[in-house]
């Protein structure tokens, strides 16, 4: 993709394939002239943001479809360029015929993400807002949608702007001191600069930490269903999903590999992982499954630790012991004890009352307690997600923030060691560079090409 390209571009902006209505987008300085050549009405002198009904085709006797044409003038469109959108019937034949007409009259097909890239280059949005467009399109739950909308509104950009403004003020004072080095004049108070660095470092760490939540929201909170063989893990998975996704059998060790499915609970996606039962086994294939289960525990944010209500007291004590072992090894993970088959017997809780984990009694077979289980899963994460003022979910943003934080740490170290200002200023400039690269204040052609190449063609 070549930056600054002035071609008039066109592409299908709606979902490819047959549908009731399709939208074709045209953008560039000749958009209106090109569309007027194939449209039955004059649109060149029409006001921006107006709709016009007519026929589209080679001429009035060879028209392809009746369409609605939307006119957008320069700097008043999504891309910031003169633009036209054609709403036609959703036949794939009609789509291709209109695109062919547009190309014959001076357009070229848009590249992936080129419309949004032009919006960025024309100052209609910064880079985080542009990336939020594709996040909005791919959002599959309420929370992911909220994060994308927040970024499109500039929430993350505003946070970064405040950080950069403070850093630029002190960086400029350090740079100024370099011009008066012989006079030994100090413009920047060192204790105030250290305090600013510490505050900025804390803010950057909050943003970096939010990625864990952002990634969980974007891809689903990883939930491992763990327990001894034949305690009902696969039955629970099927009950939560409302379909027969996993094989259910009375034979212990039926599940040999992990199964992953997405469950949406009130706008938050949970990525459920049904694992092989954890026990001692001589079956080579089952052992592989058990080892994979242990790996899934490391990756999960929530562990549903299942037990069978018809098991012995000794088995139940082992269940509690396993919960404590997991908690000691991974204190950051949330554990939810699930006692299955309460439809057969009343479940006992005497030695679980003092444990730091909630306990839910269910019947995976009949559905008893499933809604309470879902509510508890939601409560465990809803408060944490809601407490985050700004959440990042983009790996590029995470890496830039981490590099900025590293540069800031170097600057603080040099300040404490009373190293020359030019070295300190260098690290602060490095920090500013990485923060600026997130919004596109500092960018390179190859970086932009990589980012926008992941967009769909019509964006």
């Amino acid at each position: 993709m070549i930056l600054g390209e002035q071609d008039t571009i066109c592409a299908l902006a709606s979902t490819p394939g047959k549908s009731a209505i399709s939208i074709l987008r045209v953008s560039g300085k000749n958009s209106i002239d090109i569309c007027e050549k194939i449209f039955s009405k004059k649109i060149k002198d029409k006001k921006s943001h107006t709709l016009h009904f007519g026929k589209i085709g080679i001429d009035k006797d060879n028209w392809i479809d009746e369409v609605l044409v939307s006119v957008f003038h320069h700097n008043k469109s999504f891309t910031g360029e003169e633009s036209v959108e054609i709403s036609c019937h959703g036949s794939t034949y009609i789509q291709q015929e209109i695109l062919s007409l547009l190309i014959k009259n001076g357009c070229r097909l848009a590249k992936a993400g080129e419309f949004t890239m032009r919006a960025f280059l024309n100052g209609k949005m910064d880079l985080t807002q542009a990336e939020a467009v594709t996040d909005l399109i791919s959002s599959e739950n309420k929370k992911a949608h909220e994060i994308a909308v927040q970024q499109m509104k500039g929430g993350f950009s505003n946070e970064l702007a405040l950080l950069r403004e403070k850093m630029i003020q002190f960086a400029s004072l350090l740079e100024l001191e370099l011009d008066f080095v012989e006079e030994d004049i100090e413009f920047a108070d060192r204790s105030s600069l250290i305090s600013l660095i510490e505050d900025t470092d804390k803010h950057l760490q909050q943003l970096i930490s939010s990625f864990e939540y952002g990634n969980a929201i974007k891809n689903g909170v990883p939930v491992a269903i763990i327990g001894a063989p034949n305690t009902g893990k696969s039955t629970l998975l099927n009950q939560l999903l409302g379909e027969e996704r996993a094989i259910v059998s009375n034979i212990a060790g039926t599940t040999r590999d992990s199964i992953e499915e997405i469950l949406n609970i009130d706008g938050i996606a949970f990525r459920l992982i049904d694992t092989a039962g954890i026990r001692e086994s001589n079956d080579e294939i089952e052992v592989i499954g058990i080892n994979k289960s242990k790996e899934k525990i490391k990756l999960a944010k929530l562990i549903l630790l299942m037990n069978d209500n018809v098991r012995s007291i000794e088995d139940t004590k082992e269940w509690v012991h396993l919960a404590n072992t997991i908690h000691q090894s991974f204190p950051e993970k949330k554990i939810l004890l699930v006692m299955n088959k309460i439809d057969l017997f009343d479940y006992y809780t005497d030695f679980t009352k003092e444990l730091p984990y909630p306990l839910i009694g269910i019947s995976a077979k009949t559905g008893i307690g499933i809604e309470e289980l879902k509510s508890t899963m939601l409560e465990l994460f809803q408060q944490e997600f809601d407490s985050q003022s700004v959440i990042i979910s983009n790996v590029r943003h995470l890496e830039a923030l981490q590099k900025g934080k590293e540069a800031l740490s170097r600057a603080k170290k040099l300040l404490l060691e009373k190293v020359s200002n030019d070295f300190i200023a260098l690290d602060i400039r490095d920090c500013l560079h990485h923060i600026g690269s997130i919004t596109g204040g500092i960018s390179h052609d190859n970086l932009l090409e990589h980012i926008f190449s992941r967009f769909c063609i019509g964006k």
Side-chain angles (χ1 to χ4, degrees), residues 35-42 53-57 60:
C35 290
E36 196 174 66
K37 292 177 184 178
I38 61 174
F39 189 52
S40 60
K41 294 182 178 178
K42 299 293 182 182
F53 176 75
K55 296 180 175 65
I56 199 164
K60 64 180 181 179

Side-chain angles (χ1 to χ4, degrees), residues 66-111:
E66 291 182 322
V67 300
L68 272 178
V69 168
S70 309
V71 176
F72 303 93
H73 290 174
H74 177 75
N75 207 34
K76 294 183 178 181
S77 70
F78 171 75
T79 61
E81 303 173 325
E82 181 181 290
S83 184
V84 174
E85 290 185 0
I86 302 168
S87 299
C88 63
H89 290 96
S91 157
T92 53
Y93 171 77
I94 292 173
Q95 297 166 13
Q96 293 306 316
E97 286 297 302
I98 296 176
L99 283 173
S100 295
L101 276 179
L102 290 169
I103 292 168
K104 286 177 183 176
N105 283 278
C107 285
R108 69 163 173 81
L109 281 176
K111 299 180 177 118

